[in-house]
Amino acid sequence: MHKNVTLNKENTPSVDLTKCNTILSKYSKATHADLIPILQQIQDAYGYLPMAALEEITVRTRIPISKIYGVVTFYSQFSMEPRGRHTIKVCVGTACHIKGAPDIKKKITEVLHINEGETTSDYKFTYEPVACLGTCFLAPVMMVDGRYYGKLTIEKTETILKSY
Amino acid sequence: MEKLKDHDALVKYRKSLESKRRPDMIRVLICTTGCRALGAEEVYKAFKLEVEKQSLKDKLEIVDTGCQGLCARAPVLTIEPMGIFYGRATETDVPEIISRTILKGEIIERLCYTDAGKRTPYIRDIPFYGKQKKIVLRNCGNIDPKRINDYILRDGYAALSKVLTTIKPDDVINEVKNSGLRGRGGAGFPTGNKWEFVKKAVGDVKYIVCNGDEGDPGAFMDRAVLEGDPHSVIEGMLIGAYAIGSSKGIVYVRAEYPIAVEHLKIAIEQAKLLGLLGNNILGSDFSFDLGIKMGAGAFVCGEETALIASIEGKRGMPRPRPPFPATSGLWGKPTNINNVETFANVPIIILKGSAFYKAIGTETSKGTKIFALAGNVKNTGLVEVPMGTTLREIVFDIGGGIPGRKKFKAAQMGGPSGGCVPAQHLDLPIDYETVKEVGAIMGSGGLIVMDDSTSMVDIARYFMEFCQDESCGKCVPCRVGTKRMLDILTRITKGQGKKDDIGLLKELAEVTKTASLCGLGQTAANPVLSTIRYYLNEYEELINKKDAPSLPQESQTTQT
Ligand SMILES: Cc1cc2nc3c(=O)[nH]c(=O)nc-3n(C[C@H](O)[C@H](O)[C@H](O)COP(=O)(O)O)c2cc1C
Ligand code: FES
């Protein structure tokens, strides 16, 4: 838990808030309980949570920005950095672990030159670990965007990454 | 669809569905949930296309179902009424399946289940299914979970209608108490007693929450139930709500389970259309609304007080209990929280009676338990067995044993809060108490089989890394204790262990266990203690052997 979030303003492209406002307009009487669903929708729409959008949530819902920031940094699903076009989720669950997930992870780092939780400099891939994708019979497994790749080997992993 | 206005209307509706049934039709049941990962949707589409092309609409029905259990053979399909089981089917096999098996009744050998060279075409002969008892999974894999009519045809909502017309709330609670049902979320608390606490708690509003967070890495039971038979969970919640006097429910589902959320949404919509959710259900004065909340990726949110914080939109951090959620839960109101599988048991208990249910299982643990069988075992998949089944039966008879020339070493039960059960306890009848005695826990049902190439110290390190990462950081014993234990374990696996490391680990384990705020910290040391208990030699070997090669987690890939 607890991610260290570094905000790099220069790298953050200026954000068009239209989509954010459309989402927020559905919550005219938003309460604290709506915060996580709002954040989930905004992240779906933008691929990440732009700072400007968080500020907009504060203005519209009156939930203090500190609380929003607290929630965003607590849950691993949320990211405040722009993300790659493809998200690689590597399962690090128990079944995958004993069937070689650590080797798969090493291979990904080797091929993409990034560690878990990072995005390639060309914004092509974001690479994150996930504890069990619920498809343990395919171990070791990874998911690229919505697609599963099971029974991975080091060679297969490399081929898959290069196919994107 | 029209709202069903009372018990009789439901009975009539079921009769009308029955009369439209076509027993002469052949049905192909294809799992499109778990098996989706290996192309099941393409197989399903290919069947649909072929039925269209060959105008087989009157002969052949294609049903997309939830998990059928034998995930190792994904994508799997069953052909009824013959009971033929095919696995590892691809879309290119479809025309042949239709022309040979469905139209001519021939068996296609290469798609059959095989073990040690023996082909078994019929599901009734496959040992994987033979020892199972499907109560909770009775519909899973047999119906289309996106069609409420399929559920109603198999006595769906009959239990609800039974309680609404003939059983008083207190008697529902008594029936559940008598059945001996215990919570399937891990701790095994008697469900009827919990319901009674909430019923007796004072509050104008009461909530009922279904815990579908399923964070144990290596477990997928709740996912399968939510995806494959969502109405059984909804019906269980309805009955619970009626018993405790609640009119508002929430299902909390893990973020990584999009299909479960999709199927639940469809199920809730359809139940609303038939008047099985909403106001004055089946003409009674019982009203109930059900909503879904999606998690956002935090293991600790499976803990009930953290789950409540998360639903309230806060950081998902646990708080001290008491007060228990039963008296002060969601927004300070009395709240009943049960696990997915717990709720799915309820309709059967009501329908068949507590005596039927109580007859299954052991002295202290009644009914069945679903296990997610994974790791180094041939038949990975979803299994449901009576409580009291031995580990040997699960791993060897159902699971088919260990692949390759490897030997069974241990079964990890209960995930990060559990422990490893070694070979000498293979004949242990599994129930809540026996598993605890040998140093593991029943947990939610993750069962990972490990062969003799697995390093137990690495497994301990693995789980500690998980707990340390998922610790919410609120209490010091858990935050610091897990970190220190992880440091020591990492040091040992790197061959830099020190003489007194084991003593230090035990001491830290004790403190973390007694002083932590919630179950995460209280149980985080279990995998360490259990591996020290049974595999002390592996620790000592690593510690004594200086400059041991940097250890297994980095060098080992076992493939099946
Ligand atoms: C760290 C932690 C994680 C938990 N995760 C889950 C979970 O994923 N699913 C679940 O049903 N219960 C989980 N529990 C147990 C719940 O706190 C709670 O006891 C349970 O949902 C009650 O339901 P039951 O009585 O039907 O088992 C977890 C507990 C702890 C301490
Ligand atoms: S452990 Fe990897 S999918 Fe479950």
Side-chain angles (χ1 to χ4, degrees):
Chain A
M1 222 83 318
H2 298 288
K3 295 164 286 179
N4 289 323
V5 179
T6 40
L7 284 178
N8 191 342
K9 288 248 172 184
E10 293 108 70
N11 270 354
T12 321
S14 75
V15 179
D16 173 4
L17 287 177
T18 321
K19 283 186 279 184
C20 169
N21 285 326
T22 317
I23 292 164
L24 284 169
S25 61
K26 287 187 287 183
Y27 294 89
S28 57
K29 283 191 216 112
T31 65
H32 213 297
D34 298 315
L35 179 58
I36 292 176
I38 289 174
L39 292 170
Q40 283 168 331
Q41 290 173 54
I42 292 180
Q43 173 142 324
D44 265 353
Y46 291 90
Y48 74 109
L49 295 167
M51 193 59 202
L54 300 188
E55 282 162 357
E56 196 62 25
I57 300 176
T58 293
V59 173
R60 299 269 212 116
T61 64
R62 303 190 161 265
I63 299 172
I65 190 90
S66 58
K67 293 268 180 204
I68 299 177
Y69 187 78
V71 168
V72 169
T73 49
F74 184 82
Y75 295 98
S76 62
Q77 191 187 30
F78 297 130
S79 160
M80 287 180 63
E81 306 226 17
R83 296 166 53 100
R85 275 172 284 132
H86 304 292
T87 303
I88 305 170
K89 290 187 179 173
V90 177
C91 179
V92 294
T94 321
C96 290
H97 178 79
I98 65 168
K99 289 209 165 185
D103 295 335
I104 306 295
K105 278 169 40 186
K106 264 210 305 211
K107 189 75 204 175
I108 294 174
T109 297
E110 197 187 300
V111 176
L112 301 180
H113 307 291
I114 46 172
N115 286 312
E116 308 173 5
E118 295 178 351
T119 300
T120 52
S121 53
D122 59 358
Y123 288 102
K124 187 164 179 190
F125 291 109
T126 295
Y127 160 35
E128 51 191 38
V130 42
C132 193
L133 288 165
T135 50
C136 315
F137 53 97
L138 289 176
V141 198
M142 69 176 182
M143 222 173 152
V144 182
D145 304 328
R147 190 158 171 197
Y148 294 88
Y149 295 95
K151 304 195 177 169
L152 292 173
T153 57
I154 299 170
E155 299 77 37
K156 218 164 138 184
T157 308
E158 182 157 13
T159 321
I160 293 164
L161 292 179
K162 297 218 159 125
S163 73
Y164 280 87
Chain B
M1 278 188 210
E2 211 175 288
K3 281 199 164 86
L4 302 168
K5 60 182 196 312
D6 54 19
H7 172 77
D8 293 339
L10 175 65
V11 175
K12 226 170 105 189
Y13 186 70
R14 180 175 299 117
K15 287 237 165 77
S16 83
L17 293 174
E18 270 163 13
S19 68
K20 282 185 218 139
R21 234 189 198 158
R22 295 276 310 273
D24 54 321
M25 295 255 280
I26 292 177
R27 304 200 315 151
V28 179
L29 306 163
I30 306 172
C31 165
T32 53
T33 53
C35 289
R36 202 179 278 196
L38 282 182
E41 275 187 310
E42 286 70 32
V43 177
Y44 173 76
K45 280 187 201 136
F47 264 110
K48 281 290 211 195
L49 201 74
E50 239 12 74
V51 167
E52 198 62 43
K53 254 185 16 205
Q54 304 189 27
S55 322
L56 292 169
K57 260 208 184 90
D58 280 330
K59 213 174 155 57
L60 188 59
E61 191 191 2
I62 313 297
V63 188
D64 50 338
T65 72
C67 181
Q68 302 185 5
L70 195 41
C71 309
R73 301 276 153 167
V76 304
L77 56 97
T78 314
I79 305 170
E80 297 288 4
M82 298 84 107
I84 294 170
F85 178 90
Y86 282 158
R88 304 203 176 132
T90 62
E91 46 192 307
T92 50
D93 292 320
V94 171
E96 191 184 345
I97 297 176
I98 293 189
S99 65
R100 286 184 58 198
T101 307
I102 287 162
L103 298 177
K104 289 197 207 130
E106 295 170 9
I107 300 289
I108 303 171
E109 299 240 313
R110 65 169 193 282
L111 298 175
C112 292
Y113 173 85
T114 35
D115 190 22
K118 199 172 144 246
R119 290 182 201 284
T120 321
Y122 296 101
I123 203 162
R124 58 172 182 270
D125 302 325
I126 300 176
F128 176 82
Y129 290 102
K131 286 222 167 169
Q132 295 195 48
K133 189 169 183 76
K134 301 218 174 188
I135 290 189
V136 175
L137 296 176
R138 63 195 178 278
N139 296 324
C140 203
N142 287 314
I143 64 169
D144 180 347
K146 301 184 293 316
R147 292 198 304 228
I148 193 170
N149 288 353
D150 281 23
Y151 182 68
I152 290 179
L153 261 171
R154 294 170 75 101
D155 282 335
Y157 292 104
L160 172 70
S161 132
K162 183 174 169 184
V163 300
L164 290 182
T165 46
T166 59
I167 314 181
K168 286 204 213 64
D170 282 331
D171 293 330
V172 174
I173 293 179
N174 282 334
E175 190 71 357
V176 174
K177 265 175 148 178
N178 286 339
S179 74
L181 174 65
R182 295 170 68 174
R184 301 293 192 242
F189 191 82
T191 306
N193 295 49
K194 192 187 276 184
W195 288 13
E196 191 167 39
F197 290 144
V198 185
K199 161 118 201 173
K200 287 193 175 144
V202 190
D204 47 345
V205 183
K206 288 177 186 175
Y207 294 100
I208 190 159
V209 175
C210 175
N211 188 344
D213 197 45
E214 194 159 67
D216 170 3
F220 49 91
M221 306 78 47
D222 294 346
R223 164 188 161 152
V225 174
L226 287 171
E227 288 177 353
D229 195 15
H231 286 288
S232 67
V233 180
I234 297 175
E235 190 177 3
M237 289 186 79
L238 275 159
I239 295 168
Y242 168 79
I244 63 170
S246 157
S247 60
K248 175 86 191 120
I250 292 171
V251 189
Y252 187 92
V253 190
R254 194 168 170 242
E256 286 83 4
Y257 289 175
I259 309 175
V261 173
E262 181 196 323
H263 287 187
L264 255 176
K265 276 190 183 151
I266 297 172
I268 290 175
E269 275 320 303
Q270 294 184 345
K272 274 189 193 157
L273 286 178
L274 281 179
L276 295 162
L277 279 174
N279 289 334
N280 302 97
I281 293 167
L282 292 172
S284 69
D285 46 21
F286 170 60
S287 302
F288 186 68
D289 267 324
L290 187 58
I292 304 174
K293 278 272 175 183
M294 266 170 83
F299 170 70
V300 73
C301 285
E303 196 279 337
E304 51 190 25
T305 59
L307 186 136
I308 288 170
S310 178
I311 294 178
E312 290 173 348
K314 303 181 191 142
R315 291 164 75 92
M317 305 220 267
R319 59 159 179 77
R321 300 173 308 173
F324 285 90
T327 48
S328 175
L330 206 48
W331 295 294
K333 308 287 183 195
T335 303
N336 181 83
I337 302 183
N338 279 124
N339 166 262
V340 170
E341 192 183 333
T342 312
F343 279 124
N345 268 291
V346 171
I348 282 292
I349 292 173
I350 297 296
L351 216 53
K352 298 208 168 176
S354 57
F356 160 85
Y357 195 81
K358 216 164 46 181
I360 308 164
T362 67
E363 192 56 39
T364 58
S365 312
K366 302 299 183 191
T368 58
K369 179 76 196 87
I370 308 179
F371 290 101
L373 192 57
N376 298 318
V377 60
K378 278 187 195 155
N379 298 332
T380 45
L382 199 66
V383 307
E384 181 175 359
V385 290
M387 294 275 189
T389 304
T390 66
L391 203 51
R392 188 186 300 281
E393 287 171 299
I394 297 177
V395 175
F396 289 91
D397 299 347
I398 295 172
I402 318 297
R405 281 165 198 279
K406 305 260 174 57
K407 279 217 318 259
F408 174 90
K409 182 165 187 180
Q412 210 286 340
M413 293 182 70
S417 319
C420 292
V421 184
Q424 72 247 43
H425 292 307
L426 268 173
D427 291 306
L428 187 80
I430 296 174
D431 73 14
Y432 288 99
E433 278 64 32
T434 51
V435 175
K436 213 168 175 175
E437 270 162 39
V438 299
I441 61 162
M442 176 77 87
S444 55
L447 204 159
I448 313 268
V449 181
M450 297 169 186
D451 66 25
D452 49 8
S453 68
T454 316
S455 154
M456 292 325 228
V457 186
D458 172 57
I459 289 299
R461 198 202 64 87
Y462 165 79
F463 280 117
M464 193 53 72
E465 188 177 14
F466 180 86
C467 289
Q468 188 265 323
D469 197 41
E470 293 293 344
S471 168
C472 79
K474 184 167 171 175
C475 75
V476 178
C478 174
R479 185 178 68 224
V480 182
T482 53
K483 179 81 181 136
R484 288 285 84 85
M485 285 189 278
L486 177 62
D487 287 346
I488 299 172
L489 289 164
T490 307
R491 182 163 82 209
I492 299 176
T493 53
K494 283 193 174 149
Q496 293 156 0
K498 298 183 187 148
K499 275 273 171 292
D500 55 354
D501 272 352
I502 291 171
L504 206 54
L505 273 176
K506 282 187 180 160
E507 192 184 323
L508 279 166
E510 205 48 50
V511 175
T512 313
K513 198 171 186 158
T514 35
S516 289
L517 174 61
C518 86
L520 195 150
Q522 287 158 12
T523 59
N526 284 358
V528 180
L529 292 175
S530 118
T531 45
I532 291 181
R533 174 168 167 188
Y534 295 112
Y535 305 97
L536 183 62
N537 60 324
E538 288 189 28
Y539 280 86
E540 287 173 345
E541 216 168 275
L542 281 169
I543 292 172
N544 295 337
K545 195 164 65 185
K546 288 283 165 211
D547 315 315
S550 166
L551 250 181
Q553 84 266 10
E554 281 150 6
S555 59
Q556 206 178 71
T557 314
T558 31
Q559 294 287 331
T560 46

